[in-house]
């Protein structure tokens, strides 16, 4: 018997492109000012970027490990900030995903999907826009990382 998280994850994976297109359209409808944004080639098109988040959501939901999506949301915030993309594009993207998936997915799957998306939205909102760019030699494996970096740079 398939569990609800496994079913939701399979549905997200197989319909991810369609959901991504709908969520990207919803985001443009909610925030027309984002339509003119050009994402870095690292993110692809707005639909590609949204589809990547849906695939991350699928993994998070399948194993009920919301920390996977939270970590991804924090990383996205830093990546967007470094590329000059407004953070609201990320957070409102999660809002658009919540709306589209709430309308399109079977009702039994919506609570777990919304819980994961809400936690990702909360993580993205609370996360700093920049991370420390230094090695802590006292941290576990800090010296090993410093030696590796030195070897690569030499």
């Amino acid at each position: 018997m398939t569990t609800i998280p496994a079913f939701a994850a399979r549905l997200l994976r197989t319909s991810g492109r369609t959901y991504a297109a709908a969520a990207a359209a919803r985001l443009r409808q909610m925030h027309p000012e984002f339509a003119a944004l050009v994402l870095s080639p690292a993110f692809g098109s707005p639909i590609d970027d949204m589809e990547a988040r849906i695939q991350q959501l699928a993994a998070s939901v399948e194993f009920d490990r919301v920390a996977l999506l939270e970590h991804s949301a924090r990383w996205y915030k830093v990546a967007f900030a470094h590329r000059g993309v407004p953070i609201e594009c990320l957070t409102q993207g999660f809002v658009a995903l919540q709306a589209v998936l709430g309308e399109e997915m079977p009702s039994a799957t919506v609570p777990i999907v919304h819980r994961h998306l809400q936690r990702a939205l909360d993580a993205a909102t609370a996360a700093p826009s920049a991370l420390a760019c230094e090695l802590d030699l006292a941290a576990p494996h800090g010296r090993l990382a410093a030696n590796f970096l030195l070897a690569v740079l030499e």
Side-chain angles (χ1 to χ4, degrees):
M1 181 174 178
T2 303
T3 64
I4 289 175
F7 173 68
R10 189 174 326 117
L11 190 55
L12 287 165
R13 284 189 183 100
T14 58
S15 301
R17 188 75 178 170
T18 303
Y19 292 148
R26 179 71 58 95
L27 181 60
R28 282 191 309 276
Q29 177 187 17
M30 292 168 30
H31 297 279
E33 68 274 17
F34 294 155
L37 286 177
V38 176
L39 295 177
S40 161
F43 297 109
S45 72
I47 294 173
D48 292 339
D49 180 54
M50 198 68 78
E51 185 178 17
R53 278 189 250 152
I54 289 171
Q55 297 304 321
Q56 294 160 355
L57 172 63
S60 178
V61 166
E62 182 174 16
F63 301 104
D64 202 15
R65 300 238 358 247
V66 73
L68 295 172
L69 196 59
E70 289 173 328
H71 179 74
S72 174
R74 287 190 292 271
W75 178 88
Y76 261 100
K77 183 173 184 178
V78 172
F80 273 36
H82 281 281
R83 288 166 176 85
V85 177
I87 301 308
E88 294 77 20
C89 191
L90 172 64
T91 56
Q92 292 304 303
F94 284 123
V95 170
L97 273 173
Q98 281 181 318
V100 166
L101 296 177
E103 294 167 3
E104 299 296 330
M105 292 190 73
S107 60
T109 64
V110 172
I112 191 168
V113 168
H114 272 202
R115 180 169 55 87
H116 283 247
L117 285 171
Q118 186 59 51
R119 294 272 301 271
L121 176 59
D122 294 344
T125 302
S129 294
L131 299 176
C133 296
E134 58 189 48
L135 288 174
D136 180 1
L137 298 178
H141 308 293
R143 176 61 61 189
L144 179 63
N147 289 339
F148 173 78
L149 184 59
L150 182 62
V152 169
L153 294 175
E154 285 183 330

